[in-house]
Amino acid sequence: MTLSVAVRKAAATAVLGAALAGCGGGTGSSPKPANEIRTGSPAVPAPASPPAAPSGSPQAGAPARVPVLPPGPNGLTPVFERAKQHGDKTVALTFDADMTSDQGPRAASGERFDNPQLISSLRALKVPATIFMTGRWAEEYPDQAKAIGSDPNFEIANHSYSHHAFKSPCYGLPALDGAAATADVDRAFAAFRKAGAVNTVPYFRFPGGCYDDQALRALSPAKVTAVQWDVVSGDAFAKDPDAVAEQVLAGVKPGSVVVMHCTRSAAPVTEQAVRKVVPELRKRGYRFVKVSELIGK
């Protein structure tokens, strides 16, 4: 990694905090996530219709036998960061479609929290991707949520309903109490179903990436696998797509999960960066996959 990339990566990690606080809607600061990432035991396929599934779970219409990680110690929600690969050069591009419960007026006034051009480019480039969507985003853009969630190239994962923190402090995000965690996740899955999205998967990304054992315990009734990342793209509030692309290319390793954004107002150059990243990684022998394929390795 060149010095310039290293410096940009450090700066981008700090900027990511602001972006993760609602992609332009949050303020304040937070320490890094408290827990060490645990990739857990080998994945097991989730049954298509598990018994006593929560009412907001993704099973209705979701692909059958999606791989998940087994529960962690004492039944904690398992956490996935990166697949440990030695020969198969695969990488998952993931995009957070963020919107908080109080950003409706901003959307009504013309601010765009979607990025249809990005989705179009992913289709044109034939890049599978996992979209971590908030329920509020699906309510604001139901037609797009349905189109993404009906396209076999994509899968929709849960990014909470309104991007509230599951651990506090977390970049100034308002925090949920433990009892509200599962209900919040269920509410997001319900918003996906209402929009008509069927390619939903039982994966969850913590707002801000912030969690601890208490958060993992509170989330366990939702029966999801928490998905973090090992490559920060630096697309949040970036103005130079070349810098974003360079940072991704410098960080990707076999099995990597890259975090990017599907929110034009907070990440305006993501689509341009993706068009630079994809051909270069393919030249390097990488194959793009959804998170479900990485977890299934």
Side-chain angles (χ1 to χ4, degrees):
M1 181 185 299
T2 65
L3 179 61
S4 62
V5 173
V7 171
R8 276 201 297 272
K9 185 171 184 179
T13 300
V15 172
L16 180 66
L20 291 172
C23 278
T27 58
S29 62
S30 172
K32 293 179 181 179
N35 265 36
E36 179 182 355
I37 300 296
R38 294 190 291 273
T39 53
S41 304
V44 295
S49 301
S55 59
S57 65
Q59 273 70 39
R65 300 182 66 80
V66 173
V68 296
L69 295 181
N74 300 314
L76 296 182
T77 296
V79 181
F80 177 83
E81 178 191 27
R82 170 180 167 252
K84 301 297 187 282
Q85 298 183 338
H86 301 287
D88 190 8
K89 296 175 71 173
T90 57
V91 58
L93 299 185
T94 71
F95 299 88
D96 291 357
D98 293 340
M99 190 168 184
T100 62
S101 58
D102 61 350
Q103 288 176 337
R106 289 166 57 179
S109 67
E111 185 170 350
R112 300 305 300 258
F113 297 91
D114 62 341
N115 195 338
Q117 184 58 47
L118 169 64
I119 300 300
S120 295
S121 290
L122 291 171
R123 287 189 175 113
L125 292 166
K126 295 180 170 53
V127 175
T130 303
I131 313 297
F132 285 85
M133 188 180 293
T134 66
R136 183 64 189 86
W137 194 99
E139 290 177 348
E140 186 68 30
Y141 305 107
D143 292 343
Q144 292 186 55
K146 180 178 181 179
I148 294 168
S150 302
D151 187 331
N153 211 44
F154 304 124
E155 60 190 11
I156 292 178
N158 197 308
H159 195 33
S160 80
Y161 175 75
S162 57
H163 211 268
H164 286 181
F166 284 60
K167 170 190 174 292
S168 186
C170 182
Y171 303 112
L173 292 173
L176 296 169
D177 61 37
T182 300
D184 184 87
V185 173
D186 288 350
R187 187 179 182 188
F189 278 129
F192 305 157
R193 288 198 304 271
K194 184 177 180 180
V198 295
N199 294 330
T200 59
V201 289
Y203 306 148
F204 177 80
R205 176 164 285 166
F206 284 102
C210 304
Y211 71 94
D212 54 15
D213 278 357
Q214 184 176 345
L216 295 176
R217 189 173 299 109
L219 192 63
S220 62
K223 301 184 186 305
V224 294
T225 292
V227 176
Q228 297 286 91
W229 57 83
D230 68 304
V231 179
V232 176
S233 69
D235 69 335
F237 307 111
K239 297 181 179 179
D240 183 355
D242 290 331
V244 174
E246 185 179 354
Q247 184 157 303
V248 172
L249 294 171
V252 164
K253 301 178 290 292
S256 279
V257 176
V258 181
V259 59
M260 306 184 85
H261 294 83
C262 185
T263 311
R264 267 186 287 176
S265 63
V269 301
T270 303
E271 186 267 341
Q272 298 172 59
V274 164
R275 286 193 278 110
K276 297 173 182 294
V277 165
V278 169
E280 178 58 31
L281 284 179
R282 282 178 169 155
K283 286 180 185 176
R284 299 180 186 183
Y286 279 90
R287 180 171 61 89
F288 294 95
V289 298
K290 294 176 276 191
V291 168
S292 55
E293 184 169 338
L294 277 188
I295 291 180
K297 291 292 183 183

